Amino acid sequence: MNNPAKVLRSEFDKEMQSVDQLINKYMTSDSTPIISELSSHLINAGGKRLRPLLTIASAKMCGYSGNAHIQLAAAIEFIHSATLLHDDVVDESEKRRGKPTANSLWNNQSSVLVGDYLFSKSFQLMVEAESLSVLSILADASATISEGEILQLSAIRNLHTDVEVYFKIIEGKTAALFSAATKVGAVISNAEQDFVIALMNYGRFLGLCFQLTDDLLDYTGDEKSFGKKIGEDFREGKLTLPLIKAIERSTPKEQKFWKNSVQKPSQYDKNFEEGLAIMEKYDTLDFTRNEAIKYSKKAFNSLDVFSNSELKDILKQLALKVVSRIN
């Protein structure tokens, strides 16, 4: 199969055009032009619209025939975009998807405030869907995302960060929105509970696989295709799975190296190469790769409750495609 995300986009091109129109309508501000300019820069910077696409696909998997999935898909994209704006400020990022970040082109204050604006617009769209259940799901997801980001901030340069904390972070910052995106598509369709749970799990496992893959690519990827500098997590002192497992398995001498390089970064290039060598010594890159593959398979198998269909096959292939970036 060709790229499953592109196939999905083609399959639901009409719906996604409606989503894009709604996004453009809601991020336009005549009184404050910078809102439109900054939002447009981020939202139109080449993102795949994967999360809203999953909302549309999940609703269609459950036979939905209304229009509320359009509002919800747009709301999901606004929540995602708001978190990206805030992330780039916190991380002091200069590039996203290979292009300058909004905070590097404008300033941190504008990025934070426009992120807040997009959050508020997402809740307006949720209300338009006229479903208290859906509003609850997305409100909970928004809170969980914030918790995940705050937990990650508290773990920066903290060598005591363990695997359990790491998974709490990625459950919050990434998996929560993927899971909400697929779950609301089922809930708005009044689907049976088995189908709601299946799609919720599919989104969660896909999100975990997605983040594990990104965290591995930060050490092993190609800068041009990855869209940002390799080793940024290491430079910023983010304790992701490859590093956590390496620290856990290291000798006292290696522990001293980690303390000097993670807590007191100076000679980045030299430390990064030495850190990679230690990760390879203890197979922590392969460990992370296997974890990503595990969650890819879990996402793949989550949809078994549904009858066979072309859409089911596409979503299953999407789970495999996400992890194929590291194979």
PDB file of all heavy atoms in Angstrom, residues 38-51:
ATOM      1  N   LEU A  38       0.640  34.310  12.601  1.00  0.00           N
ATOM      2  CA  LEU A  38       1.399  33.323  13.352  1.00  0.00           C
ATOM      3  C   LEU A  38       0.746  31.947  13.271  1.00  0.00           C
ATOM      4  O   LEU A  38       1.416  30.931  13.071  1.00  0.00           O
ATOM      5  CB  LEU A  38       1.533  33.788  14.802  1.00  0.00           C
ATOM      6  CG  LEU A  38       2.627  33.145  15.649  1.00  0.00           C
ATOM      7  CD1 LEU A  38       3.096  34.113  16.740  1.00  0.00           C
ATOM      8  CD2 LEU A  38       2.131  31.869  16.302  1.00  0.00           C
ATOM      9  N   SER A  39      -0.591  31.911  13.386  1.00  0.00           N
ATOM     10  CA  SER A  39      -1.311  30.635  13.287  1.00  0.00           C
ATOM     11  C   SER A  39      -1.123  30.007  11.922  1.00  0.00           C
ATOM     12  O   SER A  39      -0.890  28.799  11.804  1.00  0.00           O
ATOM     13  CB  SER A  39      -2.809  30.839  13.560  1.00  0.00           C
ATOM     14  OG  SER A  39      -3.034  31.375  14.836  1.00  0.00           O
ATOM     15  N   SER A  40      -1.232  30.838  10.890  1.00  0.00           N
ATOM     16  CA  SER A  40      -1.075  30.334   9.522  1.00  0.00           C
ATOM     17  C   SER A  40       0.315  29.769   9.299  1.00  0.00           C
ATOM     18  O   SER A  40       0.485  28.740   8.640  1.00  0.00           O
ATOM     19  CB  SER A  40      -1.347  31.451   8.511  1.00  0.00           C
ATOM     20  OG  SER A  40      -2.680  31.891   8.587  1.00  0.00           O
ATOM     21  N   HIS A  41       1.309  30.447   9.851  1.00  0.00           N
ATOM     22  CA  HIS A  41       2.690  29.973   9.700  1.00  0.00           C
ATOM     23  C   HIS A  41       2.831  28.562  10.237  1.00  0.00           C
ATOM     24  O   HIS A  41       3.437  27.698   9.598  1.00  0.00           O
ATOM     25  CB  HIS A  41       3.658  30.904  10.426  1.00  0.00           C
ATOM     26  CG  HIS A  41       5.053  30.354  10.517  1.00  0.00           C
ATOM     27  ND1 HIS A  41       5.929  30.383   9.454  1.00  0.00           N
ATOM     28  CD2 HIS A  41       5.715  29.714  11.526  1.00  0.00           C
ATOM     29  CE1 HIS A  41       7.067  29.805   9.802  1.00  0.00           C
ATOM     30  NE2 HIS A  41       6.963  29.390  11.055  1.00  0.00           N
ATOM     31  N   LEU A  42       2.260  28.306  11.419  1.00  0.00           N
ATOM     32  CA  LEU A  42       2.390  26.990  12.036  1.00  0.00           C
ATOM     33  C   LEU A  42       1.510  25.956  11.345  1.00  0.00           C
ATOM     34  O   LEU A  42       1.966  24.885  10.939  1.00  0.00           O
ATOM     35  CB  LEU A  42       2.016  27.065  13.523  1.00  0.00           C
ATOM     36  CG  LEU A  42       1.991  25.716  14.246  1.00  0.00           C
ATOM     37  CD1 LEU A  42       3.405  25.150  14.353  1.00  0.00           C
ATOM     38  CD2 LEU A  42       1.378  25.854  15.625  1.00  0.00           C
ATOM     39  N   ILE A  43       0.231  26.280  11.199  1.00  0.00           N
ATOM     40  CA  ILE A  43      -0.744  25.292  10.721  1.00  0.00           C
ATOM     41  C   ILE A  43      -0.513  24.939   9.256  1.00  0.00           C
ATOM     42  O   ILE A  43      -0.768  23.811   8.833  1.00  0.00           O
ATOM     43  CB  ILE A  43      -2.180  25.802  10.967  1.00  0.00           C
ATOM     44  CG1 ILE A  43      -2.442  25.828  12.480  1.00  0.00           C
ATOM     45  CG2 ILE A  43      -3.210  24.922  10.274  1.00  0.00           C
ATOM     46  CD1 ILE A  43      -3.771  26.430  12.881  1.00  0.00           C
ATOM     47  N   ASN A  44       0.007  25.884   8.497  1.00  0.00           N
ATOM     48  CA  ASN A  44       0.233  25.619   7.071  1.00  0.00           C
ATOM     49  C   ASN A  44       1.689  25.258   6.754  1.00  0.00           C
ATOM     50  O   ASN A  44       2.111  25.306   5.609  1.00  0.00           O
ATOM     51  CB  ASN A  44      -0.170  26.844   6.237  1.00  0.00           C
ATOM     52  CG  ASN A  44      -1.647  27.150   6.365  1.00  0.00           C
ATOM     53  OD1 ASN A  44      -2.465  26.244   6.493  1.00  0.00           O
ATOM     54  ND2 ASN A  44      -2.000  28.433   6.350  1.00  0.00           N
ATOM     55  N   ALA A  45       2.437  24.850   7.789  1.00  0.00           N
ATOM     56  CA  ALA A  45       3.872  24.594   7.607  1.00  0.00           C
ATOM     57  C   ALA A  45       4.178  23.153   7.218  1.00  0.00           C
ATOM     58  O   ALA A  45       5.272  22.664   7.445  1.00  0.00           O
ATOM     59  CB  ALA A  45       4.631  24.952   8.882  1.00  0.00           C
ATOM     60  N   GLY A  46       3.216  22.468   6.645  1.00  0.00           N
ATOM     61  CA  GLY A  46       3.506  21.135   6.136  1.00  0.00           C
ATOM     62  C   GLY A  46       3.102  19.994   7.037  1.00  0.00           C
ATOM     63  O   GLY A  46       3.482  18.854   6.798  1.00  0.00           O
ATOM     64  N   GLY A  47       2.332  20.273   8.075  1.00  0.00           N
ATOM     65  CA  GLY A  47       1.852  19.199   8.942  1.00  0.00           C
ATOM     66  C   GLY A  47       0.906  18.262   8.195  1.00  0.00           C
ATOM     67  O   GLY A  47       0.228  18.663   7.254  1.00  0.00           O
ATOM     68  N   LYS A  48       0.862  17.021   8.645  1.00  0.00           N
ATOM     69  CA  LYS A  48       0.070  16.012   7.933  1.00  0.00           C
ATOM     70  C   LYS A  48      -1.403  16.000   8.334  1.00  0.00           C
ATOM     71  O   LYS A  48      -2.192  15.260   7.765  1.00  0.00           O
ATOM     72  CB  LYS A  48       0.674  14.619   8.186  1.00  0.00           C
ATOM     73  CG  LYS A  48       2.117  14.473   7.709  1.00  0.00           C
ATOM     74  CD  LYS A  48       2.644  13.078   8.013  1.00  0.00           C
ATOM     75  CE  LYS A  48       4.093  12.936   7.566  1.00  0.00           C
ATOM     76  NZ  LYS A  48       5.022  13.768   8.352  1.00  0.00           N
ATOM     77  N   ARG A  49      -1.766  16.811   9.350  1.00  0.00           N
ATOM     78  CA  ARG A  49      -3.150  16.803   9.847  1.00  0.00           C
ATOM     79  C   ARG A  49      -3.567  15.391  10.274  1.00  0.00           C
ATOM     80  O   ARG A  49      -4.713  14.993  10.097  1.00  0.00           O
ATOM     81  CB  ARG A  49      -4.119  17.310   8.788  1.00  0.00           C
ATOM     82  CG  ARG A  49      -3.936  18.722   8.328  1.00  0.00           C
ATOM     83  CD  ARG A  49      -4.606  19.733   9.252  1.00  0.00           C
ATOM     84  NE  ARG A  49      -4.915  20.960   8.574  1.00  0.00           N
ATOM     85  CZ  ARG A  49      -4.073  21.953   8.358  1.00  0.00           C
ATOM     86  NH1 ARG A  49      -2.815  21.818   8.767  1.00  0.00           N
ATOM     87  NH2 ARG A  49      -4.435  23.052   7.747  1.00  0.00           N
ATOM     88  N   LEU A  50      -2.626  14.637  10.830  1.00  0.00           N
ATOM     89  CA  LEU A  50      -2.904  13.238  11.142  1.00  0.00           C
ATOM     90  C   LEU A  50      -3.980  13.086  12.207  1.00  0.00           C
ATOM     91  O   LEU A  50      -4.872  12.243  12.072  1.00  0.00           O
ATOM     92  CB  LEU A  50      -1.614  12.537  11.582  1.00  0.00           C
ATOM     93  CG  LEU A  50      -1.730  11.046  11.907  1.00  0.00           C
ATOM     94  CD1 LEU A  50      -2.305  10.266  10.729  1.00  0.00           C
ATOM     95  CD2 LEU A  50      -0.371  10.487  12.314  1.00  0.00           C
ATOM     96  N   ARG A  51      -3.919  13.882  13.251  1.00  0.00           N
ATOM     97  CA  ARG A  51      -4.873  13.731  14.346  1.00  0.00           C
ATOM     98  C   ARG A  51      -6.306  14.039  13.908  1.00  0.00           C
ATOM     99  O   ARG A  51      -7.205  13.245  14.185  1.00  0.00           O
ATOM    100  CB  ARG A  51      -4.435  14.588  15.542  1.00  0.00           C
ATOM    101  CG  ARG A  51      -3.137  14.069  16.178  1.00  0.00           C
ATOM    102  CD  ARG A  51      -2.393  15.177  16.925  1.00  0.00           C
ATOM    103  NE  ARG A  51      -1.055  14.750  17.355  1.00  0.00           N
ATOM    104  CZ  ARG A  51       0.010  14.753  16.575  1.00  0.00           C
ATOM    105  NH1 ARG A  51      -0.084  15.144  15.298  1.00  0.00           N
ATOM    106  NH2 ARG A  51       1.188  14.362  17.027  1.00  0.00           N
TER     107      ARG A  51
END
